[in-house]
Amino acid sequence: SDMLIVAGIISQKMAPVLKNIYEQMSDPKWVMSFGACASSGGIFNVYSVTQGIDSVIPVDVYVPGCPPAPEGVLNALVRLQEDIGAGRTRSQIREMNLRQVGRI
């Protein structure tokens, strides 16, 4: 597949499995993080929950919310399509999205 959608809590046990799946994807590959649990661990600040999927695999698009709104999901897909169509590289797309969520 071309796109991996990460939704929900990512436990420490599942992180290596998710990384393995990501590495098996063919290029070009895109990752969308769905909701607060995948993006930042959500309200689960415990040792068994990964605090942000970007510590395991690189994320191209973040969809905020808990749960994310359908409009947000569609907006993220359309924005990713526009960025790809404009010829932006993965690093440019990732940097723009990290600026938008305040991580840079």
Side-chain angles (χ1 to χ4, degrees):
S1 73
D2 294 336
M3 184 186 317
L4 176 65
I5 297 176
V6 180
I9 301 166
I10 306 301
S11 67
Q12 292 290 346
K13 279 181 128 178
M14 282 307 293
V17 176
L18 182 63
K19 185 171 185 163
N20 191 19
I21 290 170
Y22 175 77
E23 290 172 352
Q24 290 177 1
M25 291 171 60
S26 61
D27 285 327
K29 50 189 166 187
W30 309 96
V31 178
M32 181 183 293
S33 179
F34 239 51
C37 287
S39 298
S40 65
I43 61 170
F44 306 101
N45 191 11
V46 294
Y47 70 93
S48 61
V49 173
T50 303
Q51 298 300 306
I53 192 61
D54 55 349
S55 65
V56 180
I57 58 175
V59 176
D60 298 303
V61 179
Y62 294 92
V63 179
C66 182
E71 297 84 17
V73 175
L74 290 175
N75 182 37
L77 283 170
V78 169
R79 199 171 89 216
L80 184 59
Q81 282 181 326
E82 289 171 352
D83 288 343
I84 294 169
R88 293 188 181 98
T89 63
R90 286 192 72 202
S91 60
Q92 289 173 330
I93 294 171
R94 199 171 303 122
E95 183 179 330
M96 285 178 9
N97 289 319
L98 287 173
R99 285 186 198 282
Q100 185 176 12
V101 296
R103 293 196 180 182
I104 291 184

